[in-house]
Amino acid sequence: MSQTTPAERKNMSQVPSWIMLGFVVGVLTMWLFRSSPEPLEPEVVEPVAEVEEPAEPDEEPEASGDGSLSMALVGAIWEEYRAYAFWNEDKTQIGVWNSATFGFTDRYEVLRGEEFDYFRPIESFTRLTLPGYGPENSPILFTETAEQRAIRNQKLNPQPVERPKRPDPIEFNTLPPPPGGG
């Protein structure tokens, strides 16, 4: 007689059933919460025909809302002090005094063009600053490259810097005289 006995199930793993349960829950969630794509209708915006009146030439440009200066104000200040700039490959960097932060915190890279100068705001300087350079109480902090500073320092101090004399080499192959003078 052959009797078939069922396999013992005392230590079977529960992991495959949990994986299957997670898969089924994920499929149901995706199926229930899927959204049918609705065609988007473009909004029709009426063109505005209002024309802004130009600002009076006697008015000062105002600071922008974030505390930095407006480009029109920076351009006006730049036109007055641009003769003091150190140019390298038609570029220079400047810091403009900001009275809200009490420092030269508005930094710009200035690109010199044939007809106009272009300003690009930058986070920090990549050139060396020249504090105290320019006219007294200048609202612009000028910069120069390291190469320009080295050339300027060489012109100010034309005498070569004297290098310290090297000490005599130590001789390792000689022995001191024996004690007692013998």
Side-chain angles (χ1 to χ4, degrees):
M1 283 195 190
S2 99
Q3 275 185 334
T4 57
T5 58
E8 293 183 29
R9 296 183 178 219
K10 62 180 178 181
N11 289 335
M12 293 189 79
S13 174
Q14 300 277 332
V15 173
S17 61
W18 284 108
I19 291 173
M20 186 59 136
L21 178 67
F23 178 75
V24 170
V25 169
V27 168
L28 287 174
T29 303
M30 293 298 293
W31 183 68
L32 290 175
F33 292 110
R34 71 179 172 159
S35 61
S36 61
E38 298 176 10
L40 297 176
E41 295 180 17
E43 275 187 43
V44 177
V45 178
E46 301 278 334
V48 179
E50 296 178 21
V51 177
E52 294 183 22
E53 294 182 19
E56 297 281 328
D58 295 339
E59 292 181 12
E60 288 288 323
E62 297 178 8
S64 62
D66 62 352
S68 64
L69 301 176
S70 68
M71 287 296 186
L73 180 60
V74 172
I77 294 171
W78 173 250
E79 286 303 317
E80 187 173 339
Y81 295 100
R82 70 176 299 169
Y84 295 97
F86 284 93
W87 295 96
N88 184 23
E89 297 178 357
D90 289 334
K91 293 181 196 173
T92 189
Q93 294 177 352
I94 60 170
V96 180
W97 180 263
N98 189 330
S99 58
T101 59
F102 295 109
F104 292 102
T105 55
D106 296 337
R107 298 175 186 99
Y108 300 93
E109 182 177 52
V110 183
L111 303 171
R112 180 169 50 184
E114 291 180 13
E115 297 178 15
F116 301 103
D117 292 334
Y118 301 96
F119 298 89
R120 182 177 69 101
I122 56 176
E123 291 292 321
S124 62
F125 291 126
T126 58
R127 297 176 180 219
L128 305 171
T129 60
L130 294 165
Y133 174 74
E136 190 174 338
N137 297 326
S138 172
I140 294 181
L141 176 66
F142 295 96
T143 61
E144 65 181 347
T145 62
E147 182 181 350
Q148 288 171 327
R149 182 167 288 180
I151 291 170
R152 189 169 49 85
N153 286 339
Q154 182 63 32
K155 287 180 182 177
L156 292 174
N157 302 315
Q159 294 138 2
V161 176
E162 201 172 303
R163 292 185 178 180
K165 186 177 179 184
R166 295 180 72 182
D168 292 333
I170 300 173
E171 296 182 24
F172 290 108
N173 294 335
T174 61
L175 295 174

